[in-house]
Amino acid sequence: MAIATPPLARRKKVLGAVAESTSGTAAAVSAALGGMNVTDARMVPEGIYESVRQPQGHYFGTVDRTKGAQRGRCTFSWELTYADALLTLLPACGWPVAGAVATPSSTISAQNTLTMALWEDGRKKLLRGCSGNITIEGTNGQRVTGSGDFQGVWYTDPTDSAMPALAPINTSPWRASTMTLTIGGAAIPLVSRFNLNLNAQVEPREDVTNATALLHYIVTDYNPTLELDPEARLVAGHDAYGLFLAGTTGAVSIVLTDGTNTLTMACARGQRINIEDADRDGKLTDPITVELQNSSGNDSIVFTKA
């Protein structure tokens, strides 16, 4: 006998996203983001009923709240592969794409916004006008993963909708091994993890003529950083504190490869802006934060697939 009124399964989620032809005008989303093993996908309204109504009178307490701007948020993680949708997501973070190259831009009109859909075992949620931030990280020998944090307009109620097709993806993701990782052309001593954060600043475009009070979201600034945890060395071997205190800058190169395809993340000018004292299983480390700066224009970090 079949289970009556079964619960929705947490694992049965499919994420989709489509670039909008006109920012803030919802595009039709009917398929999954291609080539991506997604985990921890969530889409929720955010802060719609923040304003508390506490009128003066005879009574303590509150009365019915009214809706504010209809904000929403979609967060998720995925395994990085050559065939993933990184180059679909980056233009909505302020990194327009030409061919297989994503370059940061301070021209807001060059950005794309996304309509995003999340199917949850037969229920479909939607956000329009989405912009966001991406973090890429890896730990030695493990899968390299990306994390997306996108904000958009919660413009419609969820509906019941059959999940789109999504075949199992057995393609091996890029791993934090056989990597190229240099600053100023020099290798960094025995790093076990890295974290690249675009630090995109996402803000709404308010619109009092819209029923949702929002038109769409945009990226108004970014400040990419790279965090590393190199083993400590004697000053003669690697003068970590000297490089930090001197404000030394140098080109940063991160290259992931599966032996056939590559993802190169390149910055012409990186500067160590923080150093800490830590250890990794009893081994002293000098964790650093590198700010990825502009050198000759909008070139703080450029992504290239090949």
Side-chain angles (χ1 to χ4, degrees), residues 150-188:
F150 285 76
Q151 299 178 59
V153 182
W154 188 278
Y155 70 100
T156 188
D157 294 334
T159 59
D160 292 336
S161 175
M163 294 171 62
L166 180 62
I169 300 169
N170 287 306
T171 304
S172 295
W174 277 311
R175 297 171 54 239
S177 66
T178 323
M179 289 177 55
T180 300
L181 176 57
T182 59
I183 300 178
I188 308 302

Short mmCIF file of all heavy atoms in Angstrom, two decimals, residues 150-188:
data_model
loop_
_atom_site.label_atom_id
_atom_site.label_comp_id
_atom_site.label_asym_id
_atom_site.label_seq_id
_atom_site.Cartn_x
_atom_site.Cartn_y
_atom_site.Cartn_z
N PHE A 150 22.84 34.18 -3.49
CA PHE A 150 22.17 35.08 -4.41
C PHE A 150 20.93 35.68 -3.78
O PHE A 150 20.17 34.98 -3.10
CB PHE A 150 21.81 34.35 -5.71
CG PHE A 150 23.00 34.10 -6.60
CD1 PHE A 150 23.90 33.10 -6.30
CD2 PHE A 150 23.23 34.89 -7.72
CE1 PHE A 150 25.02 32.88 -7.10
CE2 PHE A 150 24.33 34.68 -8.53
CZ PHE A 150 25.23 33.67 -8.21
N GLN A 151 20.74 36.98 -4.01
CA GLN A 151 19.56 37.67 -3.52
C GLN A 151 18.69 38.07 -4.71
O GLN A 151 19.21 38.46 -5.77
CB GLN A 151 19.96 38.90 -2.72
CG GLN A 151 20.79 38.58 -1.49
CD GLN A 151 21.21 39.83 -0.74
OE1 GLN A 151 20.38 40.60 -0.29
NE2 GLN A 151 22.52 40.02 -0.61
N GLY A 152 17.37 37.98 -4.52
CA GLY A 152 16.46 38.31 -5.59
C GLY A 152 15.10 38.70 -5.06
O GLY A 152 14.90 38.83 -3.85
N VAL A 153 14.16 38.87 -5.97
CA VAL A 153 12.81 39.32 -5.63
C VAL A 153 11.90 38.10 -5.53
O VAL A 153 11.79 37.31 -6.48
CB VAL A 153 12.26 40.30 -6.69
CG1 VAL A 153 10.88 40.80 -6.30
CG2 VAL A 153 13.23 41.47 -6.89
N TRP A 154 11.25 37.95 -4.38
CA TRP A 154 10.28 36.87 -4.17
C TRP A 154 8.95 37.36 -4.74
O TRP A 154 8.15 37.97 -4.06
CB TRP A 154 10.16 36.56 -2.68
CG TRP A 154 9.34 35.35 -2.37
CD1 TRP A 154 7.99 35.27 -2.29
CD2 TRP A 154 9.84 34.03 -2.08
NE1 TRP A 154 7.60 34.00 -1.98
CE2 TRP A 154 8.72 33.21 -1.85
CE3 TRP A 154 11.12 33.47 -2.02
CZ2 TRP A 154 8.83 31.86 -1.53
CZ3 TRP A 154 11.23 32.13 -1.70
CH2 TRP A 154 10.10 31.33 -1.46
N TYR A 155 8.74 37.09 -6.02
CA TYR A 155 7.67 37.76 -6.75
C TYR A 155 6.41 36.93 -6.94
O TYR A 155 5.39 37.43 -7.40
CB TYR A 155 8.18 38.21 -8.13
CG TYR A 155 8.44 37.08 -9.10
CD1 TYR A 155 7.51 36.76 -10.08
CD2 TYR A 155 9.63 36.34 -9.04
CE1 TYR A 155 7.75 35.73 -10.98
CE2 TYR A 155 9.87 35.33 -9.93
CZ TYR A 155 8.94 35.02 -10.89
OH TYR A 155 9.18 33.99 -11.77
N THR A 156 6.47 35.64 -6.58
CA THR A 156 5.31 34.79 -6.78
C THR A 156 5.31 33.67 -5.75
O THR A 156 6.37 33.31 -5.21
CB THR A 156 5.32 34.20 -8.21
OG1 THR A 156 4.09 33.52 -8.46
CG2 THR A 156 6.47 33.23 -8.40
N ASP A 157 4.13 33.13 -5.48
CA ASP A 157 4.02 32.02 -4.54
C ASP A 157 4.56 30.73 -5.17
O ASP A 157 4.48 30.55 -6.40
CB ASP A 157 2.57 31.78 -4.13
CG ASP A 157 1.99 32.94 -3.33
OD1 ASP A 157 2.79 33.64 -2.68
OD2 ASP A 157 0.77 33.13 -3.34
N PRO A 158 5.09 29.83 -4.36
CA PRO A 158 5.49 28.52 -4.89
C PRO A 158 4.30 27.79 -5.51
O PRO A 158 3.14 27.99 -5.12
CB PRO A 158 6.01 27.78 -3.66
CG PRO A 158 6.44 28.86 -2.71
CD PRO A 158 5.45 29.96 -2.93
N THR A 159 4.60 26.95 -6.49
CA THR A 159 3.57 26.15 -7.15
C THR A 159 4.00 24.68 -7.16
O THR A 159 5.18 24.36 -6.99
CB THR A 159 3.35 26.60 -8.61
OG1 THR A 159 4.59 26.49 -9.32
CG2 THR A 159 2.86 28.04 -8.66
N ASP A 160 3.04 23.80 -7.36
CA ASP A 160 3.35 22.39 -7.56
C ASP A 160 3.78 22.21 -9.01
O ASP A 160 3.07 22.61 -9.93
CB ASP A 160 2.15 21.52 -7.24
CG ASP A 160 1.79 21.53 -5.76
OD1 ASP A 160 2.69 21.82 -4.95
OD2 ASP A 160 0.61 21.28 -5.43
N SER A 161 4.97 21.62 -9.20
CA SER A 161 5.53 21.50 -10.55
C SER A 161 6.45 20.29 -10.60
O SER A 161 7.29 20.10 -9.71
CB SER A 161 6.30 22.77 -10.91
OG SER A 161 6.95 22.64 -12.14
N ALA A 162 6.29 19.48 -11.62
CA ALA A 162 7.15 18.31 -11.77
C ALA A 162 8.60 18.73 -11.90
O ALA A 162 8.93 19.72 -12.55
CB ALA A 162 6.72 17.50 -12.99
N MET A 163 9.48 17.98 -11.27
CA MET A 163 10.91 18.30 -11.33
C MET A 163 11.45 18.03 -12.72
O MET A 163 11.09 17.04 -13.35
CB MET A 163 11.67 17.48 -10.28
CG MET A 163 11.31 17.83 -8.86
SD MET A 163 12.02 16.68 -7.66
CE MET A 163 13.77 16.92 -7.93
N PRO A 164 12.34 18.90 -13.23
CA PRO A 164 12.93 18.66 -14.55
C PRO A 164 13.90 17.49 -14.51
O PRO A 164 14.38 17.09 -13.44
CB PRO A 164 13.65 19.97 -14.85
CG PRO A 164 13.97 20.53 -13.51
CD PRO A 164 12.83 20.13 -12.61
N ALA A 165 14.19 16.96 -15.67
CA ALA A 165 15.12 15.84 -15.77
C ALA A 165 16.50 16.24 -15.28
O ALA A 165 16.96 17.36 -15.53
CB ALA A 165 15.19 15.35 -17.21
N LEU A 166 17.16 15.35 -14.60
CA LEU A 166 18.54 15.58 -14.16
C LEU A 166 19.19 14.22 -13.96
O LEU A 166 18.97 13.56 -12.95
CB LEU A 166 18.59 16.39 -12.86
CG LEU A 166 19.99 16.68 -12.31
CD1 LEU A 166 20.81 17.50 -13.30
CD2 LEU A 166 19.92 17.40 -10.97
N ALA A 167 19.97 13.80 -14.94
CA ALA A 167 20.65 12.51 -14.86
C ALA A 167 21.81 12.59 -13.87
O ALA A 167 22.39 13.67 -13.65
CB ALA A 167 21.17 12.10 -16.23
N PRO A 168 22.18 11.49 -13.24
CA PRO A 168 23.34 11.50 -12.35
C PRO A 168 24.59 11.99 -13.08
O PRO A 168 24.82 11.64 -14.25
CB PRO A 168 23.48 10.02 -11.93
CG PRO A 168 22.11 9.46 -12.10
CD PRO A 168 21.51 10.17 -13.27
N ILE A 169 25.38 12.81 -12.40
CA ILE A 169 26.60 13.37 -12.98
C ILE A 169 27.79 12.69 -12.32
O ILE A 169 28.09 12.95 -11.15
CB ILE A 169 26.65 14.90 -12.78
CG1 ILE A 169 25.44 15.56 -13.45
CG2 ILE A 169 27.95 15.47 -13.34
CD1 ILE A 169 25.27 17.02 -13.09
N ASN A 170 28.45 11.82 -13.06
CA ASN A 170 29.57 11.07 -12.51
C ASN A 170 30.92 11.68 -12.86
O ASN A 170 31.96 11.14 -12.46
CB ASN A 170 29.51 9.62 -13.00
CG ASN A 170 28.39 8.85 -12.33
OD1 ASN A 170 28.32 8.81 -11.11
ND2 ASN A 170 27.51 8.25 -13.12
N THR A 171 30.92 12.79 -13.59
CA THR A 171 32.18 13.46 -13.92
C THR A 171 32.92 13.84 -12.65
O THR A 171 32.35 14.45 -11.75
CB THR A 171 31.90 14.73 -14.75
OG1 THR A 171 31.16 14.39 -15.90
CG2 THR A 171 33.20 15.40 -15.14
N SER A 172 34.18 13.46 -12.58
CA SER A 172 34.97 13.78 -11.38
C SER A 172 35.20 15.29 -11.29
O SER A 172 35.55 15.94 -12.29
CB SER A 172 36.33 13.08 -11.43
OG SER A 172 36.17 11.68 -11.39
N PRO A 173 34.97 15.88 -10.12
CA PRO A 173 35.23 17.31 -9.96
C PRO A 173 36.72 17.59 -9.87
O PRO A 173 37.54 16.68 -9.66
CB PRO A 173 34.55 17.62 -8.63
CG PRO A 173 34.63 16.34 -7.86
CD PRO A 173 34.50 15.24 -8.87
N TRP A 174 37.06 18.86 -10.06
CA TRP A 174 38.44 19.25 -9.82
C TRP A 174 38.77 19.02 -8.34
O TRP A 174 37.92 19.23 -7.47
CB TRP A 174 38.64 20.72 -10.18
CG TRP A 174 38.88 20.93 -11.65
CD1 TRP A 174 39.76 20.26 -12.44
CD2 TRP A 174 38.23 21.88 -12.50
NE1 TRP A 174 39.71 20.74 -13.74
CE2 TRP A 174 38.78 21.73 -13.80
CE3 TRP A 174 37.24 22.85 -12.30
CZ2 TRP A 174 38.38 22.50 -14.88
CZ3 TRP A 174 36.83 23.62 -13.37
CH2 TRP A 174 37.39 23.44 -14.66
N ARG A 175 40.00 18.62 -8.08
CA ARG A 175 40.45 18.36 -6.72
C ARG A 175 41.58 19.31 -6.34
O ARG A 175 42.27 19.84 -7.21
CB ARG A 175 40.95 16.91 -6.59
CG ARG A 175 39.89 15.86 -6.84
CD ARG A 175 40.48 14.46 -6.92
NE ARG A 175 41.29 14.13 -5.75
CZ ARG A 175 42.58 13.80 -5.80
NH1 ARG A 175 43.22 13.79 -6.96
NH2 ARG A 175 43.22 13.51 -4.69
N ALA A 176 41.73 19.49 -5.06
CA ALA A 176 42.83 20.32 -4.56
C ALA A 176 44.10 19.47 -4.54
O ALA A 176 44.62 19.08 -3.48
CB ALA A 176 42.50 20.86 -3.17
N SER A 177 44.55 19.16 -5.73
CA SER A 177 45.81 18.43 -5.93
C SER A 177 46.30 18.74 -7.33
O SER A 177 45.53 19.18 -8.19
CB SER A 177 45.60 16.91 -5.76
OG SER A 177 44.77 16.41 -6.80
N THR A 178 47.59 18.57 -7.57
CA THR A 178 48.21 18.89 -8.87
C THR A 178 47.86 20.32 -9.27
O THR A 178 47.68 20.62 -10.46
CB THR A 178 47.75 17.90 -9.97
OG1 THR A 178 47.63 16.59 -9.42
CG2 THR A 178 48.81 17.84 -11.08
N MET A 179 47.71 21.20 -8.28
CA MET A 179 47.37 22.59 -8.54
C MET A 179 48.62 23.43 -8.76
O MET A 179 49.71 23.09 -8.28
CB MET A 179 46.61 23.20 -7.34
CG MET A 179 45.20 22.70 -7.13
SD MET A 179 44.45 23.42 -5.64
CE MET A 179 44.63 25.19 -5.96
N THR A 180 48.44 24.53 -9.46
CA THR A 180 49.43 25.60 -9.48
C THR A 180 48.95 26.69 -8.54
O THR A 180 47.80 27.14 -8.64
CB THR A 180 49.61 26.18 -10.89
OG1 THR A 180 50.05 25.15 -11.77
CG2 THR A 180 50.64 27.31 -10.88
N LEU A 181 49.79 27.10 -7.61
CA LEU A 181 49.42 28.15 -6.65
C LEU A 181 50.66 28.98 -6.36
O LEU A 181 51.56 28.52 -5.66
CB LEU A 181 48.86 27.52 -5.37
CG LEU A 181 48.49 28.47 -4.22
CD1 LEU A 181 47.48 29.51 -4.67
CD2 LEU A 181 47.94 27.68 -3.04
N THR A 182 50.70 30.19 -6.93
CA THR A 182 51.87 31.04 -6.75
C THR A 182 51.46 32.47 -6.45
O THR A 182 50.38 32.92 -6.84
CB THR A 182 52.76 31.04 -8.01
OG1 THR A 182 51.99 31.52 -9.14
CG2 THR A 182 53.29 29.66 -8.32
N ILE A 183 52.34 33.17 -5.74
CA ILE A 183 52.20 34.62 -5.53
C ILE A 183 53.53 35.25 -5.92
O ILE A 183 54.59 34.86 -5.40
CB ILE A 183 51.87 34.97 -4.07
CG1 ILE A 183 50.55 34.32 -3.65
CG2 ILE A 183 51.77 36.49 -3.89
CD1 ILE A 183 50.17 34.59 -2.20
N GLY A 184 53.49 36.20 -6.84
CA GLY A 184 54.72 36.81 -7.33
C GLY A 184 55.63 35.81 -8.01
O GLY A 184 56.86 35.96 -7.98
N GLY A 185 55.03 34.77 -8.62
CA GLY A 185 55.82 33.76 -9.32
C GLY A 185 56.46 32.73 -8.42
O GLY A 185 57.09 31.79 -8.91
N ALA A 186 56.29 32.87 -7.09
CA ALA A 186 56.92 31.95 -6.15
C ALA A 186 55.87 31.04 -5.53
O ALA A 186 54.77 31.47 -5.18
CB ALA A 186 57.65 32.72 -5.05
N ALA A 187 56.22 29.76 -5.37
CA ALA A 187 55.32 28.82 -4.72
C ALA A 187 55.16 29.18 -3.24
O ALA A 187 56.07 29.74 -2.62
CB ALA A 187 55.85 27.40 -4.87
N ILE A 188 54.01 28.85 -2.68
CA ILE A 188 53.73 29.11 -1.26
C ILE A 188 53.98 27.80 -0.51
O ILE A 188 53.54 26.73 -0.93
CB ILE A 188 52.27 29.56 -1.07
CG1 ILE A 188 51.95 30.72 -1.99
CG2 ILE A 188 52.00 29.95 0.38
CD1 ILE A 188 52.82 31.92 -1.81
#
